[in-house]
Amino acid sequence: MACGNRASCLNQDQIMKHRFFRPLAAVMLVVGLSGFTALESLFAPSANLWPKWEAHDPASTQTVDHAPWGKFLKTYVKPGRDGANRVAYGTVNEADKKNLHDYLASLRKVNVANLSRNEQLAYWINLYNALTVRVVIHFYPVDSIQEINLTGGLFSGGGPWSKDLIRINGEMISLNDIEHRILRPIWRDPRLHYAVNCASVGCPNLAVTPYTAATVNAMLNRAARDYVNSPRGVQHTSDGLVLSKIYAWFSEDFGSGETMVLDHIARHASSDTEVKIMSSTNIAAYEYDWSLNDAMK
């Protein structure tokens, strides 16, 4: 958002419950990866549909009120000089913690099946991001969200992604459920990786306004452009391109293979980024910064 940490390993019980585990052959699809990055890709959760959440009402005009989340974002999200949006987790007062809790409580009451597709899309993105922020606030101070070990894990040492955090329409749901069992398999849109935020500097930015049905497509495009054209997404070095590990972990969503990844990036690239891509003969490395996107640092 975000490896299963957005792409962390699941323990064996969770693998059986969520069926995210990839077969060994899947790693061969990640052309050009080697060593530890290939291993990370092998354990990245795959898109595995939870059929219950396909139900929707195309004719629905019902909307979900995300204004409380918008107020929180306006107060606590601070754009950094490096282009990364950061959250002032340590300054959130008790009143705003309660307001965030109440906002999530309001989302619990929504019958998601009664919403239109775009309203659902905005709902799930905002829910994912608000839940992530709430978890970090609860455990703050931490240097990385990976330190918040709610579930254990045999690959990168924990994180909150596999823990059931909220009950929606009678089902307990985790962050992994939202991203890998709902958003990715239903919408099949690689731009979603730029929308869900995993509270890390290397992650695409947490949007400063909530997603809505009316704005979701434009916001996804902007999020893609912002990330692709930042050093966190694409860097040009003397050895070649250095890309975010998101493009390795979730290669299948970008078309599988480095050629398709670069084609996806080019669609959202500025002229400067296009020049970087054209002047590089290879992808030299994949990098990711798991430091907390903390405005206080």
mmCIF file with all atom_site columns, all heavy atoms in Angstrom, residues 37-51:
data_model
loop_
_atom_site.group_PDB
_atom_site.id
_atom_site.type_symbol
_atom_site.label_atom_id
_atom_site.label_alt_id
_atom_site.label_comp_id
_atom_site.label_asym_id
_atom_site.label_entity_id
_atom_site.label_seq_id
_atom_site.pdbx_PDB_ins_code
_atom_site.Cartn_x
_atom_site.Cartn_y
_atom_site.Cartn_z
_atom_site.occupancy
_atom_site.B_iso_or_equiv
_atom_site.pdbx_formal_charge
_atom_site.auth_seq_id
_atom_site.auth_comp_id
_atom_site.auth_asym_id
_atom_site.auth_atom_id
_atom_site.pdbx_PDB_model_num
ATOM 1   N N   . THR A 1 37 ? 14.396  -9.719  -3.689 1.00 0.00 ? 37 THR A N   1
ATOM 2   C CA  . THR A 1 37 ? 13.216  -9.098  -4.291 1.00 0.00 ? 37 THR A CA  1
ATOM 3   C C   . THR A 1 37 ? 12.309  -10.148 -4.913 1.00 0.00 ? 37 THR A C   1
ATOM 4   O O   . THR A 1 37 ? 11.088  -10.080 -4.817 1.00 0.00 ? 37 THR A O   1
ATOM 5   C CB  . THR A 1 37 ? 13.626  -8.064  -5.345 1.00 0.00 ? 37 THR A CB  1
ATOM 6   O OG1 . THR A 1 37 ? 14.467  -7.088  -4.725 1.00 0.00 ? 37 THR A OG1 1
ATOM 7   C CG2 . THR A 1 37 ? 12.409  -7.361  -5.913 1.00 0.00 ? 37 THR A CG2 1
ATOM 8   N N   . ALA A 1 38 ? 12.893  -11.159 -5.556 1.00 0.00 ? 38 ALA A N   1
ATOM 9   C CA  . ALA A 1 38 ? 12.094  -12.234 -6.128 1.00 0.00 ? 38 ALA A CA  1
ATOM 10  C C   . ALA A 1 38 ? 11.376  -13.004 -5.031 1.00 0.00 ? 38 ALA A C   1
ATOM 11  O O   . ALA A 1 38 ? 10.214  -13.394 -5.185 1.00 0.00 ? 38 ALA A O   1
ATOM 12  C CB  . ALA A 1 38 ? 12.987  -13.179 -6.929 1.00 0.00 ? 38 ALA A CB  1
ATOM 13  N N   . LEU A 1 39 ? 12.028  -13.229 -3.913 1.00 0.00 ? 39 LEU A N   1
ATOM 14  C CA  . LEU A 1 39 ? 11.407  -13.931 -2.803 1.00 0.00 ? 39 LEU A CA  1
ATOM 15  C C   . LEU A 1 39 ? 10.252  -13.123 -2.236 1.00 0.00 ? 39 LEU A C   1
ATOM 16  O O   . LEU A 1 39 ? 9.186   -13.666 -1.927 1.00 0.00 ? 39 LEU A O   1
ATOM 17  C CB  . LEU A 1 39 ? 12.444  -14.199 -1.713 1.00 0.00 ? 39 LEU A CB  1
ATOM 18  C CG  . LEU A 1 39 ? 11.975  -15.051 -0.519 1.00 0.00 ? 39 LEU A CG  1
ATOM 19  C CD1 . LEU A 1 39 ? 11.538  -16.431 -1.001 1.00 0.00 ? 39 LEU A CD1 1
ATOM 20  C CD2 . LEU A 1 39 ? 13.090  -15.169 0.510  1.00 0.00 ? 39 LEU A CD2 1
ATOM 21  N N   . GLU A 1 40 ? 10.437  -11.797 -2.119 1.00 0.00 ? 40 GLU A N   1
ATOM 22  C CA  . GLU A 1 40 ? 9.354   -10.935 -1.650 1.00 0.00 ? 40 GLU A CA  1
ATOM 23  C C   . GLU A 1 40 ? 8.156   -11.036 -2.579 1.00 0.00 ? 40 GLU A C   1
ATOM 24  O O   . GLU A 1 40 ? 7.007   -11.096 -2.136 1.00 0.00 ? 40 GLU A O   1
ATOM 25  C CB  . GLU A 1 40 ? 9.838   -9.486  -1.586 1.00 0.00 ? 40 GLU A CB  1
ATOM 26  C CG  . GLU A 1 40 ? 10.794  -9.185  -0.462 1.00 0.00 ? 40 GLU A CG  1
ATOM 27  C CD  . GLU A 1 40 ? 11.221  -7.739  -0.492 1.00 0.00 ? 40 GLU A CD  1
ATOM 28  O OE1 . GLU A 1 40 ? 11.915  -7.353  -1.444 1.00 0.00 ? 40 GLU A OE1 1
ATOM 29  O OE2 . GLU A 1 40 ? 10.838  -7.003  0.427  1.00 0.00 ? 40 GLU A OE2 1
ATOM 30  N N   . SER A 1 41 ? 8.411   -11.029 -3.877 1.00 0.00 ? 41 SER A N   1
ATOM 31  C CA  . SER A 1 41 ? 7.326   -11.113 -4.845 1.00 0.00 ? 41 SER A CA  1
ATOM 32  C C   . SER A 1 41 ? 6.569   -12.423 -4.708 1.00 0.00 ? 41 SER A C   1
ATOM 33  O O   . SER A 1 41 ? 5.349   -12.470 -4.838 1.00 0.00 ? 41 SER A O   1
ATOM 34  C CB  . SER A 1 41 ? 7.883   -10.967 -6.261 1.00 0.00 ? 41 SER A CB  1
ATOM 35  O OG  . SER A 1 41 ? 6.865   -11.099 -7.223 1.00 0.00 ? 41 SER A OG  1
ATOM 36  N N   . LEU A 1 42 ? 7.287   -13.490 -4.443 1.00 0.00 ? 42 LEU A N   1
ATOM 37  C CA  . LEU A 1 42 ? 6.661   -14.803 -4.281 1.00 0.00 ? 42 LEU A CA  1
ATOM 38  C C   . LEU A 1 42 ? 5.630   -14.787 -3.167 1.00 0.00 ? 42 LEU A C   1
ATOM 39  O O   . LEU A 1 42 ? 4.577   -15.420 -3.258 1.00 0.00 ? 42 LEU A O   1
ATOM 40  C CB  . LEU A 1 42 ? 7.744   -15.841 -3.992 1.00 0.00 ? 42 LEU A CB  1
ATOM 41  C CG  . LEU A 1 42 ? 7.263   -17.266 -3.659 1.00 0.00 ? 42 LEU A CG  1
ATOM 42  C CD1 . LEU A 1 42 ? 6.521   -17.849 -4.849 1.00 0.00 ? 42 LEU A CD1 1
ATOM 43  C CD2 . LEU A 1 42 ? 8.439   -18.135 -3.277 1.00 0.00 ? 42 LEU A CD2 1
ATOM 44  N N   . PHE A 1 43 ? 5.909   -14.044 -2.092 1.00 0.00 ? 43 PHE A N   1
ATOM 45  C CA  . PHE A 1 43 ? 5.033   -14.041 -0.939 1.00 0.00 ? 43 PHE A CA  1
ATOM 46  C C   . PHE A 1 43 ? 4.057   -12.874 -0.906 1.00 0.00 ? 43 PHE A C   1
ATOM 47  O O   . PHE A 1 43 ? 3.311   -12.728 0.053  1.00 0.00 ? 43 PHE A O   1
ATOM 48  C CB  . PHE A 1 43 ? 5.858   -14.071 0.354  1.00 0.00 ? 43 PHE A CB  1
ATOM 49  C CG  . PHE A 1 43 ? 6.445   -15.425 0.648  1.00 0.00 ? 43 PHE A CG  1
ATOM 50  C CD1 . PHE A 1 43 ? 7.777   -15.685 0.389  1.00 0.00 ? 43 PHE A CD1 1
ATOM 51  C CD2 . PHE A 1 43 ? 5.653   -16.434 1.159  1.00 0.00 ? 43 PHE A CD2 1
ATOM 52  C CE1 . PHE A 1 43 ? 8.316   -16.930 0.657  1.00 0.00 ? 43 PHE A CE1 1
ATOM 53  C CE2 . PHE A 1 43 ? 6.178   -17.691 1.426  1.00 0.00 ? 43 PHE A CE2 1
ATOM 54  C CZ  . PHE A 1 43 ? 7.521   -17.941 1.180  1.00 0.00 ? 43 PHE A CZ  1
ATOM 55  N N   . ALA A 1 44 ? 4.085   -12.031 -1.915 1.00 0.00 ? 44 ALA A N   1
ATOM 56  C CA  . ALA A 1 44 ? 3.116   -10.938 -1.963 1.00 0.00 ? 44 ALA A CA  1
ATOM 57  C C   . ALA A 1 44 ? 1.714   -11.515 -2.143 1.00 0.00 ? 44 ALA A C   1
ATOM 58  O O   . ALA A 1 44 ? 1.513   -12.401 -2.967 1.00 0.00 ? 44 ALA A O   1
ATOM 59  C CB  . ALA A 1 44 ? 3.444   -10.004 -3.121 1.00 0.00 ? 44 ALA A CB  1
ATOM 60  N N   . PRO A 1 45 ? 0.742   -11.039 -1.381 1.00 0.00 ? 45 PRO A N   1
ATOM 61  C CA  . PRO A 1 45 ? -0.615  -11.565 -1.536 1.00 0.00 ? 45 PRO A CA  1
ATOM 62  C C   . PRO A 1 45 ? -1.134  -11.368 -2.954 1.00 0.00 ? 45 PRO A C   1
ATOM 63  O O   . PRO A 1 45 ? -0.957  -10.306 -3.546 1.00 0.00 ? 45 PRO A O   1
ATOM 64  C CB  . PRO A 1 45 ? -1.427  -10.731 -0.535 1.00 0.00 ? 45 PRO A CB  1
ATOM 65  C CG  . PRO A 1 45 ? -0.432  -10.279 0.471  1.00 0.00 ? 45 PRO A CG  1
ATOM 66  C CD  . PRO A 1 45 ? 0.835   -10.046 -0.300 1.00 0.00 ? 45 PRO A CD  1
ATOM 67  N N   . SER A 1 46 ? -1.752  -12.390 -3.492 1.00 0.00 ? 46 SER A N   1
ATOM 68  C CA  . SER A 1 46 ? -2.361  -12.279 -4.816 1.00 0.00 ? 46 SER A CA  1
ATOM 69  C C   . SER A 1 46 ? -3.791  -11.794 -4.672 1.00 0.00 ? 46 SER A C   1
ATOM 70  O O   . SER A 1 46 ? -4.381  -11.841 -3.594 1.00 0.00 ? 46 SER A O   1
ATOM 71  C CB  . SER A 1 46 ? -2.324  -13.627 -5.532 1.00 0.00 ? 46 SER A CB  1
ATOM 72  O OG  . SER A 1 46 ? -3.005  -14.599 -4.770 1.00 0.00 ? 46 SER A OG  1
ATOM 73  N N   . ALA A 1 47 ? -4.349  -11.311 -5.763 1.00 0.00 ? 47 ALA A N   1
ATOM 74  C CA  . ALA A 1 47 ? -5.742  -10.870 -5.765 1.00 0.00 ? 47 ALA A CA  1
ATOM 75  C C   . ALA A 1 47 ? -6.636  -12.103 -5.739 1.00 0.00 ? 47 ALA A C   1
ATOM 76  O O   . ALA A 1 47 ? -6.610  -12.911 -6.666 1.00 0.00 ? 47 ALA A O   1
ATOM 77  C CB  . ALA A 1 47 ? -6.014  -10.022 -7.005 1.00 0.00 ? 47 ALA A CB  1
ATOM 78  N N   . ASN A 1 48 ? -7.411  -12.255 -4.686 1.00 0.00 ? 48 ASN A N   1
ATOM 79  C CA  . ASN A 1 48 ? -8.214  -13.462 -4.499 1.00 0.00 ? 48 ASN A CA  1
ATOM 80  C C   . ASN A 1 48 ? -9.612  -13.038 -4.050 1.00 0.00 ? 48 ASN A C   1
ATOM 81  O O   . ASN A 1 48 ? -9.846  -12.732 -2.886 1.00 0.00 ? 48 ASN A O   1
ATOM 82  C CB  . ASN A 1 48 ? -7.554  -14.359 -3.445 1.00 0.00 ? 48 ASN A CB  1
ATOM 83  C CG  . ASN A 1 48 ? -8.239  -15.704 -3.328 1.00 0.00 ? 48 ASN A CG  1
ATOM 84  O OD1 . ASN A 1 48 ? -9.092  -16.051 -4.133 1.00 0.00 ? 48 ASN A OD1 1
ATOM 85  N ND2 . ASN A 1 48 ? -7.869  -16.460 -2.310 1.00 0.00 ? 48 ASN A ND2 1
ATOM 86  N N   . LEU A 1 49 ? -10.545 -13.015 -4.977 1.00 0.00 ? 49 LEU A N   1
ATOM 87  C CA  . LEU A 1 49 ? -11.861 -12.420 -4.783 1.00 0.00 ? 49 LEU A CA  1
ATOM 88  C C   . LEU A 1 49 ? -12.627 -13.009 -3.604 1.00 0.00 ? 49 LEU A C   1
ATOM 89  O O   . LEU A 1 49 ? -12.714 -14.223 -3.436 1.00 0.00 ? 49 LEU A O   1
ATOM 90  C CB  . LEU A 1 49 ? -12.697 -12.595 -6.053 1.00 0.00 ? 49 LEU A CB  1
ATOM 91  C CG  . LEU A 1 49 ? -14.131 -12.089 -5.992 1.00 0.00 ? 49 LEU A CG  1
ATOM 92  C CD1 . LEU A 1 49 ? -14.165 -10.570 -5.831 1.00 0.00 ? 49 LEU A CD1 1
ATOM 93  C CD2 . LEU A 1 49 ? -14.891 -12.514 -7.252 1.00 0.00 ? 49 LEU A CD2 1
ATOM 94  N N   . TRP A 1 50 ? -13.206 -12.126 -2.801 1.00 0.00 ? 50 TRP A N   1
ATOM 95  C CA  . TRP A 1 50 ? -14.195 -12.471 -1.779 1.00 0.00 ? 50 TRP A CA  1
ATOM 96  C C   . TRP A 1 50 ? -15.552 -12.151 -2.412 1.00 0.00 ? 50 TRP A C   1
ATOM 97  O O   . TRP A 1 50 ? -15.974 -10.994 -2.450 1.00 0.00 ? 50 TRP A O   1
ATOM 98  C CB  . TRP A 1 50 ? -13.955 -11.620 -0.536 1.00 0.00 ? 50 TRP A CB  1
ATOM 99  C CG  . TRP A 1 50 ? -14.727 -12.014 0.685  1.00 0.00 ? 50 TRP A CG  1
ATOM 100 C CD1 . TRP A 1 50 ? -15.815 -12.838 0.754  1.00 0.00 ? 50 TRP A CD1 1
ATOM 101 C CD2 . TRP A 1 50 ? -14.473 -11.577 2.027  1.00 0.00 ? 50 TRP A CD2 1
ATOM 102 N NE1 . TRP A 1 50 ? -16.253 -12.950 2.038  1.00 0.00 ? 50 TRP A NE1 1
ATOM 103 C CE2 . TRP A 1 50 ? -15.444 -12.190 2.845  1.00 0.00 ? 50 TRP A CE2 1
ATOM 104 C CE3 . TRP A 1 50 ? -13.527 -10.733 2.601  1.00 0.00 ? 50 TRP A CE3 1
ATOM 105 C CZ2 . TRP A 1 50 ? -15.503 -11.972 4.217  1.00 0.00 ? 50 TRP A CZ2 1
ATOM 106 C CZ3 . TRP A 1 50 ? -13.577 -10.519 3.965  1.00 0.00 ? 50 TRP A CZ3 1
ATOM 107 C CH2 . TRP A 1 50 ? -14.551 -11.133 4.765  1.00 0.00 ? 50 TRP A CH2 1
ATOM 108 N N   . PRO A 1 51 ? -16.267 -13.137 -2.937 1.00 0.00 ? 51 PRO A N   1
ATOM 109 C CA  . PRO A 1 51 ? -17.434 -12.880 -3.787 1.00 0.00 ? 51 PRO A CA  1
ATOM 110 C C   . PRO A 1 51 ? -18.531 -12.040 -3.138 1.00 0.00 ? 51 PRO A C   1
ATOM 111 O O   . PRO A 1 51 ? -19.256 -11.330 -3.846 1.00 0.00 ? 51 PRO A O   1
ATOM 112 C CB  . PRO A 1 51 ? -17.939 -14.290 -4.126 1.00 0.00 ? 51 PRO A CB  1
ATOM 113 C CG  . PRO A 1 51 ? -16.730 -15.156 -4.017 1.00 0.00 ? 51 PRO A CG  1
ATOM 114 C CD  . PRO A 1 51 ? -15.934 -14.584 -2.881 1.00 0.00 ? 51 PRO A CD  1
#
